Every structure is written in C-alpha cells, then in structure tokens.
Amino acid sequence: MNIGIWVLGDQININQAALQSCTEKDNIFVIIIESLEYIQVRPYHQQKLVLIWSAMRHFAVELLQAGWQVTHTKSTDFETPLKHWIETNQITELRVIKPNDKPFIEVIKNLQIPCDIKIIPNNLFIWHETEFQAWARNRKRLLMEDFYREGRKRLKILMNQNKPVGEKWNFDKENRKYPKGKLNTPKNLWFKPDEITREVINKVKNLNFTKYGEIESFRWAVTRQQALQVLDNFIQNSLPNFGDYQDAMVTGEETLWHSLLSPYINLGLLHPLEVIKKVESAYQNQQLKLNSVEGFIRQILGWREYMRGVYLLMDDEYSQSNWFNHNQPLPEFFWDANKTDMNCLHQVLIQVQNTGYAHHIQRLMVLSNFALISGISPQEVENWFHAAFIDAYDWVMQTNVLGMGLFADGGILASKPYAASANYINKMSDYCKDCVYNWKLRVTPPQHKGNNSPACPFNYFYWDFLARHRDKLKSQGRMNFVLANLDKMDSEELENIHLKAEKWHSQKTSCRSQGIGNRE
C-alpha cells in the first residue's frame, strides 16, 4: 500500500498531522503543488505570493534532506499534477490535513482522482475544532474573554494555581500608551532573499494577471529556522516594551514593538503553542513586564484561536453578513494609497503596499473603522483585506473583518462596533498633525476658505454613522453613552453632517467614473 501526503501551502511544518501519521517513510510519497488556479481569485499582494511559494520550496528541500520522497511541482491547477503523481507512484490513499479555509475544503471534495482521500484533523492550532464546538455549545454569547480564560486554565498559561498571575486576567488598560519624544524602537530581523526566493520573485513578477503591492522590498523569513530567529529577536528586543505601546501608530515606524510573527504562524512555520511557551518562559526567566507578556499571549491564545473557532462554527452565510446594510463601493485609494490625502489612511495604505503588513490597530481603528463609518460594503472590504495582507486567509479575515472590524455580523463576536472619530486617531498616532484636515472639526465652518484644514472625514462619517443606525445601536448596551452625546447635537448640524458624508461618496463615484482624483 502506497500512501501519498499532500502538503498545502499553509501547513508547512514537519510535525503536521499528515506527515506524523506515517511511522515509516517507505512507500510514502509527498507532493507540494504551486498552483496558479487558486491565486487568481483576487489580486493578491505580490509579497504574499513570494512568501508562500518560497516557503513551500524551502520546505520541499527540508523534507528531502529528512529522507522523504518529495515531488514539488508547478501547475495551472491542482487536479492534473495530483492525478499524474498518484498514477506514477501507484498511490492508493491520499492524506491531507483538513484545510483551514472552507473554500479549499470544497476544492478537495470536488477532486476527481484515482484514489481514496483521507482528511486528517488539523493539529496546527491550539484548540481542535471539536474542542471549540464543545466549549461554544449552549452558550448564549461567544465572548472571547471567556474563551481566553478557559484556554489559560486548560494549558496553565500565566496561572498561579487556579488564579491568573498578577491577580488579573487582562492588562489591556495598561497597553494604550503613545510613545513621546525621540523613539528608540528595536531593530527588526529581516532577511535578504536567497537564490530560491529570488527565483520566486522573478516568477511572481512575470505572472500575467492582476496583482497588488510592491515586490522589490521583500525581506520576510521563508524557513522555520528564520522564523525561530524572528521569534527570539522579538522576545529579546521588542517584547519588554510591546505591551505599553501596542496600540500606538507613528509615522515612519512600520513595526514599532510588534512581533511580525503572524505570517509564520499562519503558514505553519511556527506552532502557536510553542510561541506562547517561549514567551511565558521569557517572562519567568527575565522578569519581563506582565502587561507585555499577557497582552501578546492574549493575541494568540485569545483572539487568534477564538477567531478560527468562530469561523468554523458559523455556516456559509456568515461570509455575506451585512447587519448595517452597507453597500458603498470600496474607494480606489485602498488599491492606490496616493489617491487619498487623509494622512492616516495614506500612511497605513502605503505601508501595506510596500510590505503587506500593518499592525492590529492600524487595521482595526484606521482601515476597518473608516470602512465601517463610511458605509462600505463588508464583502468588498473583506476581499481587499484578504488580498492585501501577507498573513491573510479566509479563516482569518472573515471573522476579523466582518465580525470585529465592521460589526457586519450584528454582534456575534464583538460586544460593540469599533467605530471612532478622528479624536481616537489623534490620541494614538501622530498622523493628524501633518494632515490637510482638521481632526477637531465635525463639519467645515461657513467661513472656511481655500485649503486650510477642512473638517476631517472621520468626524462627519462617525456622527453620520451613529445617526443613521441609532435604532440598531440602541440594542448594543455599550453604545448608550455615545448615543447620549449624539442626542445633544441639534438637527441642523446632523443634517449638515449627513450631507457632507453623501457629498464625499458622490464625489468619489464621479471621480471613479471619470478616472480622476479629488480632495476628500
């Protein structure tokens, strides 16, 4: 009996379940496929394609060196090379880890190949799918905080017997500082492309379909050894101050104290539990600040595992969630940062174009926040996030963008919409000081002349969002304080705000049809 193992592009780990299911390597055949079929669904960031394909090629070499019989092939689809490989090696059973993304599960189900397919449970997460289902069963609300605490207890992470270390589960209130004065941010660990990566870069450059983003500045890790170096560098140089400033946004600082580990965990190069264990060990041995350590662990053991669990729990209709019935088209500047003069959006979007990366507050409180309050279609926003970010997959983006960022699911996983005016951005960044818009103004006053600091679009979109959805938002208890402020505004001002928001969209639509830019 010859067994085949198909290693998918986000399952790159020597300890992954399909490989581990084979105790001997005799009569075991491994295949890794670079297919053009799946990457044409949307215009992916070029650096994402380079990262995945280069990591796959390096992993094929690693498997060969470990004694596996490996076929690495490039194809326009998956089925053709699978059929040829199965027939050549007389494979009777194909084993593959259950894909993370639901659409790819359907791809596998629809394969017409001459052997049985065995789907093996995914072991590249901390919680197994059935464990999350058991936890979620009979709960009225799927609160992340409850899930996170359960994970801490189960795994005995940052626990002192039955109580959390530091007597608190969550130190988030200590993680909202803005760094003042001259910054001494840590140096991130980047890598010069080797021969394999350079070959992939040339391949991606020459693809004859639509792509997104810059490619020349590719510096990401592409092997497990490099990813481990990034983890160690983060723990030694960034983790000590990560907590304090994890919500800050600073012009010219792409990464601040963030780990940049999500692309590697999502590929399988690092296992989330090994990352958590190393961070907890550093806390114990180096006496690091608890708010930094707890805040980082919560992102993985809490948010990451929770988002994946909810994604698998929801039915296929979740992807079409649109609780606010938002249907404005995605502005062109999401694909070309130079088409906006809102400095916060420009700074974040140009960074995404250049690197495929932005940290969680840039994603949530700048990009998603703007999309939410301006009424952009949740499906268009989610599609852009999926295409643009180097760590993005279906399971990551549906819950993060539709649920957390846009509240399109009506509160299944978030307790309130993450909507904010320019005041938040001014508080947590330096973007507003160099912007052509005035972060203090809700509408431009009548005496305004020329181009001197008109009202920030974040402000009139924010208040218009609250006014348009007042009735729905009343059902969200945490919104009542904000709605009370809305009630203090007179009807004339609210009407001016609404007209300003509508004018912005009409100008964008007009300019899009004419192929020209405009001042927001």
Side-chain angles (χ1 to χ4, degrees):
M1 177 178 174
N2 292 347
I3 295 175
I5 298 173
W6 182 13
V7 176
L8 304 184
D10 59 350
Q11 300 174 354
I12 304 174
N13 191 305
I14 199 72
N15 294 314
Q16 60 121 295
L19 293 172
Q20 290 300 305
S21 70
C22 302
T23 56
E24 302 290 339
K25 295 175 184 174
D26 294 337
N27 301 321
I28 306 298
F29 300 87
V30 179
I31 189 167
I32 298 175
I33 305 171
E34 285 180 29
S35 170
L36 299 179
E37 177 183 21
Y38 206 62
I39 67 168
Q40 298 181 60
V41 175
R42 50 182 62 86
Y44 285 107
H45 201 296
Q46 294 187 92
Q47 292 195 37
K48 180 177 183 179
L49 300 179
V50 173
L51 172 66
I52 295 174
W53 281 343
S54 180
M56 291 168 70
R57 294 187 187 190
H58 282 90
F59 190 56
V61 173
E62 181 184 343
L63 289 174
L64 283 167
Q65 293 173 344
W68 294 91
Q69 300 180 71
V70 181
T71 297
H72 171 259
T73 185
K74 309 172 190 70
S75 176
T76 56
D77 63 0
F78 292 110
E79 190 169 292
T80 302
L82 278 173
K83 280 183 177 179
H84 177 73
W85 171 72
I86 288 167
E87 292 168 354
T88 300
N89 297 289
Q90 298 181 331
I91 291 168
T92 54
E93 180 181 275
L94 175 63
R95 297 180 184 179
V96 60
I97 291 182
K98 184 176 182 180
N100 298 324
D101 290 354
K102 293 177 183 178
F104 206 83
I105 296 174
E106 296 304 310
V107 170
I108 293 178
K109 286 181 179 179
N110 293 326
L111 287 173
Q112 300 297 315
I113 56 176
C115 74
D116 295 331
I117 301 177
K118 183 178 181 180
I119 306 294
I120 296 177
N122 195 313
N123 68 330
L124 298 179
F125 289 83
I126 298 171
W127 283 65
H128 292 291
E129 180 179 353
T130 54
E131 291 176 329
F132 187 90
Q133 291 171 345
W135 173 84
R137 192 176 297 123
N138 300 324
R139 288 179 177 269
K140 293 182 179 180
R141 294 200 65 177
L142 303 178
L143 293 178
M144 192 286 291
E145 185 67 24
D146 293 343
F147 171 76
Y148 170 57
R149 294 182 185 187
E150 179 65 21
R152 292 262 300 269
K153 293 174 184 176
R154 284 191 182 196
L155 298 169
K156 296 180 171 55
I157 301 294
L158 295 180
M159 295 296 294
N160 184 6
Q161 295 182 342
N162 295 324
K163 294 183 178 181
V165 171
E167 299 297 318
K168 289 197 301 183
W169 291 101
N170 187 314
F171 290 83
D172 197 39
K173 290 182 179 179
E174 298 178 26
N175 296 343
R176 299 167 184 168
K177 298 177 183 177
Y178 181 80
K180 298 179 180 179
K182 186 176 181 180
L183 298 184
N184 184 25
T185 52
K187 186 177 181 180
N188 280 298
L189 184 60
W190 297 108
F191 299 89
K192 185 177 180 180
D194 61 8
E195 183 177 353
I196 291 177
T197 302
R198 289 196 298 272
E199 290 177 357
V200 176
I201 289 173
N202 288 331
K203 174 182 177 176
V204 172
K205 280 183 178 179
N206 292 318
L207 292 175
N208 61 356
F209 49 79
T210 304
K211 298 157 290 183
Y212 167 71
E214 302 298 324
I215 194 172
E216 294 298 341
S217 58
F218 185 88
R219 301 169 291 172
W220 296 92
V222 292
T223 68
R224 172 167 169 78
Q225 290 70 30
Q226 289 178 339
L228 286 169
Q229 292 177 49
V230 176
L231 172 57
D232 291 340
N233 183 72
F234 165 68
I235 290 173
Q236 293 302 317
N237 299 316
S238 300
L239 182 58
N241 289 310
F242 165 78
D244 291 351
Y245 307 116
Q246 66 170 290
D247 286 4
M249 299 175 283
V250 181
T251 302
E253 295 283 351
E254 293 178 340
T255 59
L256 292 169
W257 288 269
H258 291 273
S259 71
L260 280 74
L261 292 171
S262 58
Y264 313 130
I265 300 175
N266 291 355
L267 277 177
L269 293 175
L270 299 175
H271 193 282
L273 189 56
E274 76 173 322
V275 173
I276 289 172
K277 291 287 189 181
K278 278 201 169 189
V279 168
E280 183 184 35
S281 177
Y283 165 72
Q284 294 168 344
N285 297 328
Q286 301 175 31
Q287 297 182 325
L288 300 179
K289 291 187 290 187
L290 183 55
N291 68 306
S292 288
V293 173
E294 185 277 321
F296 178 77
I297 287 176
R298 179 159 27 93
Q299 288 190 358
I300 299 177
L301 181 58
W303 282 112
R304 184 177 186 272
E305 293 286 323
Y306 172 74
M307 291 294 185
R308 185 250 186 174
V310 173
Y311 170 80
L312 293 176
L313 197 64
M314 295 296 107
D315 59 29
D316 292 342
E317 293 181 0
Y318 187 88
S319 65
Q320 300 306 309
S321 299
N322 193 353
W323 196 61
F324 292 116
N325 296 316
H326 285 167
N327 55 17
Q328 293 290 347
L330 189 78
E332 286 185 300
F333 58 69
F334 273 81
W335 298 109
D336 183 355
N338 290 323
K339 291 186 177 181
T340 180
D341 54 6
M342 283 182 278
N343 192 43
C344 59
L345 284 168
H346 181 266
Q347 292 296 333
V348 177
L349 289 168
I350 201 71
Q351 179 180 314
V352 176
Q353 282 181 204
N354 290 336
T355 66
Y357 169 81
H359 70 68
H360 65 282
I361 292 299
Q362 291 173 314
R363 301 188 199 199
L364 179 64
M365 299 308 300
V366 177
L367 301 178
S368 294
N369 180 24
F370 180 81
L372 169 63
I373 60 179
S374 64
I376 301 172
S377 160
Q379 282 64 46
E380 289 198 34
V381 179
E382 192 271 339
N383 182 67
W384 179 83
F385 267 82
H386 194 153
F389 282 101
I390 200 160
D391 55 2
Y393 298 89
D394 198 57
W395 71 268
V396 179
M397 287 305 160
Q398 275 196 25
T399 45
N400 271 288
V401 177
L402 299 181
M404 188 175 182
L406 303 179
F407 207 75
D409 63 6
I412 290 175
L413 61 80
S415 58
K416 72 176 184 66
Y418 282 89
S421 67
N423 182 58
Y424 176 90
I425 297 172
N426 181 66
K427 178 182 177 182
M428 295 308 302
S429 80
D430 64 353
Y431 297 152
C432 296
K433 71 176 184 179
D434 293 321
C435 189
V436 297
Y437 297 100
N438 188 329
W439 67 270
K440 298 178 182 179
L441 296 179
R442 292 196 286 242
V443 291
T444 305
Q447 66 271 23
H448 170 78
K449 295 180 180 179
N451 295 319
N452 296 322
S453 299
C456 177
F458 270 87
N459 288 337
Y460 52 76
F461 276 132
Y462 173 70
W463 291 105
D464 186 55
F465 165 77
L466 295 179
R468 284 185 290 117
H469 300 297
R470 183 197 305 255
D471 291 340
K472 279 195 169 185
L473 293 172
K474 282 181 179 178
S475 66
Q476 308 299 315
R478 295 182 65 190
M479 294 298 296
N480 289 332
F481 178 78
V482 175
L483 293 176
N485 290 328
L486 178 69
D487 292 335
K488 297 175 184 177
M489 297 170 62
D490 61 57
S491 58
E492 182 179 355
E493 183 178 13
L494 285 175
E495 179 63 20
N496 288 337
I497 285 172
H498 180 65
L499 291 174
K500 186 71 174 174
E502 285 195 330
K503 182 179 179 181
W504 189 95
H505 282 301
S506 65
Q507 287 177 334
K508 280 297 175 186
T509 301
S510 173
C511 291
R512 186 162 41 246
S513 64
Q514 297 175 41
I516 59 176
N518 75 299
R519 166 66 59 84
E520 285 84 14

